[in-house]
Amino acid sequence: MATQTGRNVKVEIAATYAAAKTVTGITLADPGVASSTAHGLANGTVGYFADNTAGMVQIAGAAASVANQASGTFELEGEATTSYSAFTSGTFVPVATWATLSTSTSYEIPNAEADDLDVTTLLDVIKQSEGGLMAAQNVTISGFSDAQNAAVILCRKAALAGGYVVVKMTLNNGERRIFRAMPSAPGESMSVGQKATSSVGFKVKGRVLMLPAVAA
């Protein structure tokens, strides 16, 4: 059974990044395969495509994970690019180190549903609708408050600067949830005799990747 239980789950925020890798092409396939000369990336490496990635706008600014790497290529794990725009140019920025959000107690990833467009005409006797753009996935991570936690500080700094963070959640069985997002500045709630709590909201760039454990 693949249903997960909320224990032994690690929530991490990217702390530092390695040098960007130039990407010269991405195939329209499932999954998409990126071409990058002598990239040196290992399977399971997490990073993001720069915001100025041209052509394939669907991945611009979004997180990605490396799989089935070879000397000059790597797969975009879980990313079906078959219907995407043609890639023109861009860079992939890998995460170098992580900070653990160790006080996390829960997270919520919402459903990604298409907007409901009303296309009812005067001839219709029943309301008609069709799907529009997919809604953004805005993730919330809640937990105990620790304003000096390194991961919390990273989120606060990014929020105040209008910037982004890469988030990785690793479940008990090794499965991963990965995304890049603009965080909110973490708040705090406290009452008499109770542990202070906090939550961080994340406006996701692209979508949340729901990935299996890293292949050996």
Side-chain angles (χ1 to χ4, degrees), residues 152-176:
V152 171
I153 292 172
L154 288 167
C155 289
R156 184 185 304 118
K157 287 182 176 179
L160 296 177
Y164 289 82
V165 295
V166 174
V167 181
K168 177 174 67 171
M169 298 181 286
T170 307
L171 279 55
N172 185 50
N173 68 347
E175 288 187 24
R176 294 157 295 148

Side-chain angles (χ1 to χ4, degrees), residues 147-210:
Q148 306 313 313
N149 176 274
V152 171
I153 292 172
L154 288 167
C155 289
R156 184 185 304 118
K157 287 182 176 179
L160 296 177
Y164 289 82
V165 295
V166 174
V167 181
K168 177 174 67 171
M169 298 181 286
T170 307
L171 279 55
N172 185 50
N173 68 347
E175 288 187 24
R176 294 157 295 148
R177 312 293 185 247
I178 293 167
F179 58 92
R180 182 173 181 251
M182 180 180 288
S184 65
E188 187 172 65
S189 178
M190 184 185 295
S191 58
V192 175
Q194 301 296 318
K195 287 279 191 180
T197 59
S198 180
S199 65
V200 184
F202 297 88
K203 294 187 179 300
V204 177
K205 187 82 169 179
R207 65 188 182 89
V208 179
L209 296 173
M210 315 281 270

Side-chain angles (χ1 to χ4, degrees), residues 115-120 128-133:
D115 291 336
D116 191 19
L117 303 181
D118 187 349
V119 293
T120 309
Q128 305 294 316
S129 65
E130 63 182 37
L133 295 175

Side-chain angles (χ1 to χ4, degrees), residues 10 16 28 33 56 60 63 92 98 101 104 131 143 180 183-184 189 211:
K10 179 182 283 189
T16 61
L28 302 180
V33 178
M56 194 174 281
F92 178 74
W98 300 89
L101 193 56
S104 302
R180 182 173 181 251
S184 65
S189 178
L211 303 176

Side-chain angles (χ1 to χ4, degrees), residues 19-37:
K21 308 296 182 180
T22 298
V23 176
T24 56
I26 296 177
T27 62
L28 302 180
D30 182 11
V33 178
S35 295
S36 179
T37 303

